[in-house]
Amino acid sequence: MVQGTMSGVGKSLLAAALCRIFRQDGWRVAPFKGQNMALNSYVTRDGLEMGRAQAVQAQAAGIEPDVRMNPVLLKPSSDTGSQLIVLGEVRGQYEAARYFRMKHSLTPEVLGAFEGLAAEYDILVIEGAGSPAEINLRSSDIFVNMGLAELVNAPVLLVGDIDRGGVFAQLYGTAALLEERERARIAGLVVNKFRGDPSLLEPGLAMLEEKTGLPVLGVIPYTAADVDDEDSLSPRLGEARVRRAVDIAVIRLPRISNFTDFAPLESHPALGMRYADRPAALGEPDLVILPGTKSTLTDLLWLRQIGLESAVLKLAAAGVPVLGVCGGYQMLGKTLSDPEGAEGGGELRGLGLLPCDTVFSRQKTRTQAAGTVSAEPFAGAAVEGYEIHMGKTQRSGGAPFCRLADGREDGAVSGTVFGTYLHGLFDSGELTGRLAAWLLERKGLAVEAEAGVESRRDYRERQYDLLADAVRSSLDMDAVYAAMDRYAAKEEP
């Protein structure tokens, strides 16, 4: 099990690296996280919803994502409430206090999912959540950190993030706040995201081992491997990362979800992508993207109140292309109504850039889909991905964005404004190449001949190998295997 001193220390990526390393070593391996809280989700082939981090880890392990890998998913819908998804199905909306009162009842389903995977695989790589040293939450820590490690008898790697500073205090303080039996379960400490010469850390590492009584098993370098993030707090969502010929601005909605839809654009050499959360930051891009959101109505109001709606409308009127995906597509329509109270009820006008209307319902659409773009100038581009949304959108004019393999029409187009429900639409590479060429031509820039844009699948495989190489070269894998062997033999820590 990989646990961390706090959220964001790199648990998800280290778990993905271990999944790839064990696969490279010939083991059947699968990821597991008893409870995840994230807006960046994934839909499996059988139409069930799980956390994207475990889907990424499954891909690193070379297997199909399975909801058992993340039996409990919480998708925040407000500061105090979340949608509860259990084994891929929505169980309802829960305020935090109510959820904490009932979460113990989910233990049989969480353990059942774990045991089902354990019967099929040689190794399970378990990811913790937040920190095991949240002492105010320890009584309810039943299937995320030390509670789960004890239930399934797993050794633990404790990870700290040196890039944030204070890594020695992170690791020492976390270990000190654990109970003795929990501390004894830690097989070793890991310093993550280090930049520089590891030998400079040696005095501190020696003192850390002396004070905690735990070995340091590795100093993981800050790696350049580009692996999908699950957290909307990711550095990926900052402003401009790399300035390139084409400037793409993604609106950073407060409850943005599935922002990894646009990761393929970042890897194209002509496309520079950034996130904007205020009119001044939006500027004058070559393309505006309205992404998905967990709370479309609330985020539409935010867009309106902060002045971004006016800024987007002004750009669209000037001919700047606009693309909306899922919740962003709904916002681009004429009206959004919620008669069943799926998002709190009420009705709002949309931006009015697309001839369509959305009616929300409590029924959630979850399905993988593939098709062909019918909208010019991208007609003929193959797309594949998944739908995950509440309610339906009815188009009253214009043309669809694409035609799906099952014959359905998806999305809407009006001039240079496009909308679609399809997450992952850029993953195949074809639409990315067509979009880049069109935006370059609009700016009067030369379009270089390309052998073809690499598919996201091939790109990911290279990144997983890069990540695994970086971790294998800096983590004591012999000690990791030895710890697993001890626990597999039911020995005491």
Side-chain angles (χ1 to χ4, degrees):
M1 187 173 196
V2 178
Q3 296 185 21
T5 57
M6 66 183 88
S7 295
V9 300
K11 297 186 295 292
S12 297
L13 288 184
L14 182 54
L18 289 170
C19 283
R20 177 53 63 114
I21 289 170
F22 292 138
R23 178 198 178 197
Q24 291 172 340
D25 290 351
W27 298 98
R28 296 174 303 163
V29 56
F32 184 82
K33 185 167 184 174
Q35 173 187 293
N36 200 351
M37 178 177 280
L39 288 175
N40 209 15
S41 60
Y42 178 88
V43 174
T44 64
R45 287 191 187 277
D46 48 358
L48 299 173
E49 190 174 1
M50 62 184 289
R52 190 170 188 89
Q54 282 61 64
V56 166
Q57 292 158 5
Q59 292 163 353
I63 58 176
E64 188 70 23
D66 181 324
V67 290
R68 294 177 299 172
M69 298 168 184
N70 174 215
V72 177
L73 174 63
L74 296 169
K75 299 188 74 173
S77 52
S78 68
D79 290 342
T80 59
S82 296
Q83 183 182 71
L84 171 63
I85 297 169
V86 181
L87 292 172
E89 300 279 6
V90 176
R91 289 281 177 91
Q93 193 73 21
Y94 284 79
E95 291 298 307
R98 181 183 169 213
Y99 174 69
F100 275 98
R101 288 195 300 269
M102 63 79 66
K103 67 181 291 188
H104 286 75
S105 66
L106 301 176
T107 303
E109 291 172 285
V110 172
L111 289 181
F114 179 90
E115 290 163 0
L117 291 171
E120 298 172 22
Y121 294 93
D122 303 315
I123 298 172
L124 296 189
V125 178
I126 310 169
E127 182 188 339
S131 164
E134 304 290 354
I135 52 180
N136 57 310
L137 302 176
R138 177 169 287 153
S139 62
S140 62
D141 182 4
I142 50 177
F143 43 73
V144 288
N145 289 314
M146 285 298 179
L148 179 62
E150 291 180 346
L151 280 173
V152 302
N153 195 36
V156 172
L157 293 178
L158 180 62
V159 185
D161 179 1
I162 196 170
D163 197 52
R164 295 188 179 193
V167 72
F168 298 111
Q170 290 177 38
L171 291 166
Y172 174 76
T174 299
L177 286 171
L178 296 176
E179 296 179 3
E180 181 54 40
R181 73 177 195 284
E182 296 171 328
R183 196 157 46 247
R185 189 168 288 278
I186 299 175
L189 308 175
V190 178
V191 175
N192 199 22
K193 305 182 189 179
F194 180 69
R195 307 171 194 251
D197 181 354
S199 66
L200 298 176
L201 290 180
E202 289 177 1
L205 299 178
M207 181 178 290
L208 184 63
E209 290 184 331
E210 177 186 349
K211 288 186 173 295
T212 62
L214 299 168
V216 176
L217 297 187
V219 176
I220 312 295
Y222 201 110
T223 175
D226 182 13
V227 177
D228 284 350
D229 298 299
E230 71 163 347
D231 197 333
S232 60
L233 298 178
S234 164
R236 187 187 293 274
L237 272 70
E239 294 191 17
R241 298 178 74 203
V242 179
R243 296 194 179 278
R244 293 174 177 161
V246 172
D247 177 27
I248 298 175
V250 181
I251 304 297
R252 194 190 191 291
L253 300 169
R255 294 167 183 83
I256 186 172
S257 65
N258 297 79
F259 58 87
T260 47
D261 287 343
F262 316 115
L265 302 180
E266 295 181 84
S267 59
H268 192 286
L271 304 179
M273 202 179 74
R274 57 190 174 83
Y275 287 80
D277 60 1
R278 59 192 186 282
L282 182 59
E284 298 182 357
D286 302 308
L287 170 68
V288 176
I289 295 179
L290 275 172
T293 164
K294 180 63 185 69
S295 300
T296 305
L297 294 176
T298 302
D299 280 0
L300 175 56
L301 280 175
W302 171 86
L303 194 77
R304 186 159 289 153
Q305 292 163 354
I306 203 171
L308 274 168
E309 178 188 40
S310 297
V312 171
L313 290 174
K314 187 177 295 185
L315 289 170
V320 174
V322 179
L323 168 66
V325 177
C326 198
Y329 164 41
Q330 294 170 336
M331 291 182 189
L332 290 175
K334 296 184 295 183
T335 62
L336 300 88
S337 59
D338 183 19
E340 297 181 14
E343 287 207 3
E347 181 172 331
L348 289 176
R349 63 171 174 81
L351 273 68
L353 294 176
L354 289 176
C356 52
D357 300 275
T358 297
V359 178
F360 292 98
S361 69
R362 295 188 180 278
Q363 183 176 357
K364 194 170 196 176
T365 298
R366 303 182 309 264
T367 182
Q368 290 195 358
T372 304
V373 178
S374 53
E376 295 294 347
F378 318 119
V383 288
E384 60 181 33
Y386 57 94
E387 294 181 55
I388 179 170
H389 55 89
M390 309 286 278
K392 294 183 179 180
T393 298
Q394 183 69 39
R395 182 170 51 83
S396 58
F401 178 76
C402 67
R403 185 173 294 277
L404 302 178
D406 61 7
R408 290 182 296 131
E409 292 181 340
D410 167 74
V413 178
S414 179
T416 57
V417 180
F418 310 88
T420 177
Y421 268 124
L422 200 61
H423 292 290
L425 70 165
F426 295 110
D427 283 5
S428 70
E430 288 191 34
L431 184 57
T432 303
R434 299 278 188 95
L435 177 67
W438 180 57
L439 293 174
L440 286 167
E441 287 173 356
R442 283 174 56 88
K443 296 188 72 171
L445 299 175
V447 179
E448 295 184 8
E450 296 184 36
V453 178
E454 184 179 27
S455 75
R456 189 66 180 171
R457 184 177 295 107
D458 292 341
Y459 180 79
R460 283 182 184 131
E461 285 298 304
R462 290 195 296 106
Q463 300 308 310
Y464 294 145
D465 286 335
L466 286 172
L467 178 64
D469 290 346
V471 171
R472 188 192 288 273
S473 65
S474 51
L475 182 65
D476 187 345
M477 288 304 302
D478 289 339
V480 172
Y481 275 116
M484 291 194 297
D485 287 342
R486 286 199 307 274
Y487 278 79
K490 308 293 185 183
E491 292 182 13
E492 291 298 317

